[in-house]
Every structure is written in structure tokens, then in C-alpha cells.
Amino acid sequence: MAHKDFLLFAGNSHLGFARAIARQLGVVLHEPDESDRRGPTIKWFSNGNVLVDPKINVRGKHCFVIQTQAPGRALIGKDSNGNDVFGVNLTVSDMIIELYWMVHALTCAGARVTVVTPYLPYIRSDKQDHPRASIGARTFADLLTSVGARGIVIMEPHFQQIHGFFDQKAIKVDTLNMKPIFAYEILANSERDKTVFVAPDIGEAKHLGPFVNMLKMDIAIINKERTSDNESARAQHMVGNVEDRDCWLIDDETMSGGTLVEAADFCVTKGARSLRAAICHPVLTSMDGLKRIEAHPLIKELLVTDTIPVPPEKRISKLRVRSVAPEFARAIEILAALPGEDNSLDAFKESLYSPINDLLKRR
């Protein structure tokens, strides 16, 4: 029987995801509007300040705080029918402050805190691109450690050296990845001899290696060249064959959809039959980009996970969301296990490949 002596808290960034995890685990989720006579757990004031005040005793407990990188609105209660009522709009920076304050409040109250942040804030700011530029990922890691977090669980970091951004003596970093999840989806819905992976540029080709090797499928690489100093690189050649084949483009995140549309345009000229994309983090900042994806005749599907909430206006007909709440729920269950129980997260991650191996054996 799973050990349930842990507590689950949610910030305002992705309540649907947090609630799905709580349902999977069969535990109570402590939400931002949970209140007592002093007010709610998370209260935003008119001057832009926020107060975090957990409403239960957390001393000696292992608390998991769920918060991702996404804007949203502050949950302030329920109406007479039990529907959510929201208040002020919150930015990504507001959500980060919520997270820091929640961790600090819980640790000061005697809890051990693990942060569950499927899409890590500032993950793309991983290096100093020019002199004096800030490195957001490192600063986020330092601040999270400074407020007392003891662990963090994330999905598909933009760079594999993410562990080096955290003080491993102070905080344990655990990562889940999209490879077994998307690999199963692709294998279960594709004809292997008619399917080819497409790398939108040479740099992305190495990231496709695990998919190509795992599923024993072909790869085609688009070679881009810059025709002048003031023009962006454009697709010029392709290494590999996509003619009369179904293409899959894999990436960790997408914002404008420009890479996907550009790859689709080039694959059309090479005679491809269809193109689908599997993207872990659906940032999707451009409505124009989504309209181009929806209208493109070659693009058949945009498969994403729910590490970021996708609002109704962005749910185009080609979008399919594969929830990773079950994987995160199991990770939490393992990390919360008592000493001596089977609490190997590595073993769990390895087990995700078993359905893929079973499919490969049957084909």
C-alpha cells in the first residue's frame, strides 16, 4: 500500500494539473483559496504584494508544492454552484514569487519541501549569451535553494546539465523526460516503414538520436544556410528521404510554432505525406502561429503534454494533449515513501520503457 503521509499544495499556475495529480494519488490538495478566519492560503493585495499562510500543521511533514511557469489568475473562492472564482491576473513572475513564499512559509513551519515544477522557470536562460547578461536558470535555482526547498521534480529540461545549476548537497534534482512517453505514442500510431523523424536543423539532429535508436526508424535532417548577414537561416537542403512518408518533429518546447511550420513547408517540397509534431512544453505564445499550424495542409497533429496549461482559445483542432499527471503522481509517491520502501525513481523511469519494448517485439 502506498505511503500517504505527505501533503500536497498548489499555487495558482496550473490548478488543473495539480488537481489531476491529487486525484491520481487519492489525497487532499491544499489550494490557494483554502481559508480560515485570517484569510486564504494565498492572498494577493491591491498593491501587488502577496501573503502565503498555510492553514494546516505541517511540522515534520513532507510537503510537495506544485507550480509551473505560466501566467494565470488568482483563485479566490467558489460560487454557489462550487465553480472556481478568480481574481487578479498573475504573470509568470507573480507565480515565481508565490512559489518562493510558499516554500519559505512551509519550511519555516517545520516541513520538508519538494517543489514540483513541470516546466522550470527561466529554463532557456542557461548561459551568458553576451557580457553582463543574467543567467536566469542559475538565479532561480539559487533562490529556490535559499528559501529552503530540499528537492525539485521537473520534466524535460532544455539542457541536460540542469543538475549542475543546483547545490546537490542542499537540494535533490529529479527529472522526468518525454522520450518514453512520446516514443510510445509515436510507435502506437505509426507505420514504422512509412515513418521518418525530421530534425529542423543539424543542431537538433543529435537530440533525435534517442528516438531514432529506440524505435529503429529513419531520420531526415534539414540543412539551413544563411544567405546574407542580415537574414535568418533558411532551409536549403535535406539529408534523408521524406517522400511519401509520415514525418515526426520532436522538440522540448514551442512558442511561435515557426520551426514547425517552416519544417512543414520544406517537407512539402520534398514530397512528404504528412507531418506531426510532439512537443513537451506547449508555451504557445503566438495565436498567429497556431493559426498557421491549423491551416497548414501537411501538419496533421500537434501532440503536447500538460506541463503548461493550454487555455481554450489556443486549443486548435490539431492539438492533442497527453497528460503527464500520472507520471508526476507516481514520482511524488516514490519520493514520499518511507525509508526501506521501494522508492527508486530511476527504476520507475526505466519501467516507462517497458510498453515500448513490448510494442517493438510485436512488430
Side-chain angles (χ1 to χ4, degrees):
M1 181 177 293
H3 177 62
K4 302 289 186 180
D5 191 23
F6 62 89
L7 298 171
L8 209 59
F9 290 82
N12 279 298
S13 66
H14 201 349
L15 285 169
F17 186 72
R19 289 166 177 171
I21 288 176
R23 286 193 298 269
Q24 288 279 333
L25 292 170
V27 300
V28 172
L29 176 67
H30 298 281
E31 300 191 6
D33 66 329
E34 188 172 38
S35 301
D36 62 11
R37 59 183 176 80
R38 296 187 302 270
T41 296
I42 301 178
K43 182 176 182 178
W44 283 91
F45 296 95
S46 59
N47 65 354
N49 289 180
V50 63
L51 173 69
V52 174
D53 180 14
K55 300 305 172 183
I56 59 171
N57 181 14
V58 299
R59 184 172 298 279
K61 298 289 187 179
H62 191 171
C63 297
F64 291 84
V65 177
I66 303 171
Q67 187 85 316
T68 197
Q69 177 179 299
R73 299 180 69 190
L75 180 68
I76 59 175
K78 304 287 190 294
D79 63 18
S80 58
N81 295 318
N83 299 313
D84 292 333
V85 176
F86 295 96
V88 299
N89 292 323
L90 300 175
T91 67
V92 167
S93 295
D94 293 331
M95 299 297 187
I96 292 173
I97 291 297
E98 269 193 7
L99 176 60
Y100 290 149
W101 272 219
M102 290 170 71
V103 173
H104 186 261
L106 291 168
T107 55
C108 287
R112 176 185 177 183
V113 179
T114 295
V115 171
V116 180
T117 178
Y119 182 50
L120 189 73
Y122 287 95
I123 190 65
R124 295 191 69 88
S125 179
D126 61 332
K127 59 185 182 298
Q128 196 170 48
D129 293 318
H130 50 81
R132 297 175 298 282
S134 61
I135 305 176
R138 180 53 194 264
T139 303
F140 176 83
D142 289 343
L143 289 171
L144 197 59
T145 304
S146 73
V147 293
R150 296 286 300 280
I152 183 168
V153 185
I154 62 179
M155 185 164 218
E156 201 61 40
H158 180 63
F159 52 94
Q160 295 306 310
Q161 65 271 29
I162 181 64
H163 298 81
F165 278 65
F166 290 84
D167 180 354
Q168 293 291 290
K169 294 180 181 179
I171 185 169
K172 178 69 168 65
V173 180
D174 287 297
T175 61
L176 300 176
N177 67 61
M178 66 180 180
K179 293 183 185 70
I181 295 168
F182 282 163
Y184 181 84
E185 293 285 341
I186 292 168
L187 189 61
N189 297 285
S190 303
E191 300 177 65
R192 284 176 65 194
D193 61 338
K194 280 289 187 178
T195 302
V196 59
F197 288 108
V198 173
D201 55 52
I202 294 174
E204 287 297 321
K206 63 180 180 180
H207 299 302
L208 275 176
F211 286 94
V212 175
N213 295 332
M214 185 190 315
L215 303 183
K216 299 178 175 61
M217 293 181 180
D218 295 333
I219 183 173
I221 304 169
I222 297 174
N223 181 32
K224 294 181 178 179
E225 294 181 3
R226 197 178 304 274
T227 56
S228 68
D229 290 339
N230 58 356
E231 291 185 5
S232 59
R234 295 181 177 276
Q236 300 289 333
H237 310 286
M238 176 176 282
V239 178
N241 180 29
V242 300
E243 186 174 0
D244 196 32
R245 304 182 81 179
D246 299 310
C247 306
W248 276 94
L249 186 146
I250 315 293
D251 211 344
D252 62 317
E253 67 175 69
T254 183
M255 288 190 287
S256 68
T259 296
L260 172 57
V261 171
E262 183 183 33
D265 286 343
F266 197 66
C267 286
V268 165
T269 68
K270 299 299 180 179
R273 189 165 68 175
S274 70
L275 188 142
R276 289 171 169 81
I279 309 291
C280 185
H281 306 299
V283 183
L284 304 176
T285 57
S286 170
M287 287 303 300
D288 286 341
L290 282 168
K291 291 175 182 177
R292 292 174 67 197
I293 291 171
E294 182 80 329
H296 203 289
L298 193 72
I299 300 173
K300 304 304 180 185
E301 182 180 63
L302 175 57
L303 173 64
V304 301
T305 75
D306 57 348
T307 58
I308 303 172
V310 181
E313 65 271 16
K314 293 183 179 180
R315 289 182 174 261
I316 59 175
S317 65
K318 292 180 179 180
L319 185 77
R320 180 162 68 94
V321 180
R322 197 287 197 184
S323 178
V324 290
E327 285 77 15
F328 274 91
R330 181 59 183 142
I332 290 171
E333 200 168 41
I334 291 169
L335 293 172
L338 290 172
E341 293 185 22
D342 181 13
N343 58 354
S344 171
L345 196 58
D346 288 336
F348 165 61
K349 290 193 287 186
E350 188 65 29
S351 73
L352 296 177
Y353 290 90
S354 296
I356 302 167
N357 294 330
D358 291 342
L359 274 179
L360 287 170
K361 289 175 183 177
R362 293 201 298 267
R363 294 192 173 191

